[in-house]
Amino acid sequence: MRHIRPLVLLVYLLLTGGFLALLLAPWPPQPPPTPKERWEDFQQWLGKPPTELSLRVWSAIPEDEQSVVFITRAEEIPLRTLVTKLELEPAGSTEEIPRALLPENTETTTLYRMPQSRLLCDNSYEWGYYIHELLLAQLDNQQALLAIRYQYEDEDMNSAPSIEAWHDEAPYRKETSVRQAALAVASVFSPFWIPLGILLILRRFDFRKRSHHLIWYGVTFLVPPMVYLTCILLTIPPSPTQAIALFTAFIFIMPVGIAASAIVQLVARRSIRSSEVPPEKN
């Protein structure tokens, strides 16, 4: 083992260094979502995105909230349907809408608002948007404005009166990159390769003893479940969605990890045997 230990150490350090480089490298930020993509976040309740759509900023909101402000042509907004489905009521005055939300040289002709907080629930009732405020306005330039202040909710689905989705969900958007994929793979399999790599670096760990095999597969069977369980416990209280996702990932990942550790063991044992110097004959 001492003959191949430098090579094992080099490979292990390269893998670790590569993972850290992916994690710490100054990668360019993800481009901001387009107006169409932001609308699709609410497509289950608003319908398909209008053809002409722009975004504005809702400033001066609490840090724990998010917001989105859409501007589109009034004819592309199903005004009556949204007022009914979203349980909106006419505002007392069109001046209730913050002036900063309106485009320049624009006035509000009709304004509806959500009278109290609501929870927009998806069809599965596993997540939704907790709506703090929602404004729907017709403007005097044949445009419409839809402004929403909200929080993502996937734990307390009884936090407010709910409004069910009545449209189909938007098509799933793939937001992956080479870096994200590599980080995901490294994060998933790190409970395997980190402790196994350390064992290979340890002196005198050469699979010659039964205890070496027990330790090797013991790490494979015990460490990953402990890591995944810790991840679940760190999200206290863990949401059902997070717990199910981690448990499902664990079920599918464990056989792959066990197979990979068995392959690594076979390669390491063969390398050890090939590196041994045969005894000299007298």
Side-chain angles (χ1 to χ4, degrees), residues 48-237:
K48 293 184 178 180
T51 55
E52 295 184 11
L53 194 63
S54 61
L55 293 176
R56 293 183 63 82
V57 177
W58 193 335
S59 58
I61 64 172
E63 294 183 357
D64 60 340
E65 295 181 13
Q66 301 182 58
S67 68
V68 62
V69 181
F70 299 106
I71 302 289
T72 185
R73 293 187 302 177
E75 62 188 32
E76 295 197 67
I77 288 285
L79 182 69
R80 293 303 173 188
T81 301
L82 291 181
V83 168
T84 302
K85 294 288 189 179
L86 297 176
E87 303 176 9
L88 306 182
E89 296 180 357
S93 170
T94 56
E95 296 182 357
E96 292 184 23
I97 187 171
R99 185 66 199 177
L101 299 184
L102 299 174
E104 294 182 2
N105 303 319
T106 301
E107 297 294 335
T108 303
T109 60
T110 307
L111 177 62
Y112 297 89
R113 70 186 314 162
M114 189 171 283
Q116 61 177 334
S117 299
R118 292 282 193 273
L119 186 65
L120 302 183
C121 295
D122 81 319
N123 291 323
S124 64
Y125 270 81
E126 293 183 354
W127 64 274
Y129 295 110
Y130 184 87
I131 306 299
H132 293 274
E133 189 169 4
L134 189 148
L135 302 171
L136 177 60
Q138 286 185 306
L139 309 180
D140 59 2
N141 57 355
Q142 297 184 343
Q143 289 186 314
L145 177 145
L146 177 61
I148 307 174
R149 286 197 303 117
Y150 67 96
Q151 287 177 300
Y152 181 81
E153 180 64 74
D154 64 350
E155 295 183 0
D156 186 5
M157 300 305 292
N158 296 315
S159 55
S162 62
I163 297 177
E164 297 181 4
W166 64 89
H167 289 287
D168 292 333
E169 189 176 357
Y172 177 73
R173 295 196 303 267
K174 294 183 179 180
E175 300 179 353
T176 58
S177 64
V178 175
R179 182 200 183 197
Q180 290 173 327
L183 287 176
V185 172
S187 300
V188 167
F189 287 100
S190 60
F192 295 94
W193 66 266
I194 289 179
L196 297 183
I198 293 175
L199 289 178
L200 288 176
I201 295 173
L202 292 176
R203 298 188 56 148
R204 303 188 181 215
F205 192 88
D206 52 10
F207 300 104
R208 296 181 183 276
K209 300 178 181 179
R210 179 176 297 180
S211 60
H212 291 182
H213 295 270
L214 293 177
I215 293 174
W216 181 267
Y217 286 104
V219 166
T220 303
F221 278 99
L222 297 179
V223 173
M226 293 173 61
V227 172
Y228 296 133
L229 180 61
T230 302
C231 291
I232 293 177
L233 294 178
L234 287 177
T235 59
I236 298 176

Side-chain angles (χ1 to χ4, degrees), residues 35-44 49 70 170-171 173:
K36 177 177 179 292
E37 291 173 339
R38 293 293 282 125
W39 183 283
E40 287 177 343
D41 292 339
F42 298 88
Q43 178 170 308
Q44 296 182 73
F70 299 106
R173 295 196 303 267

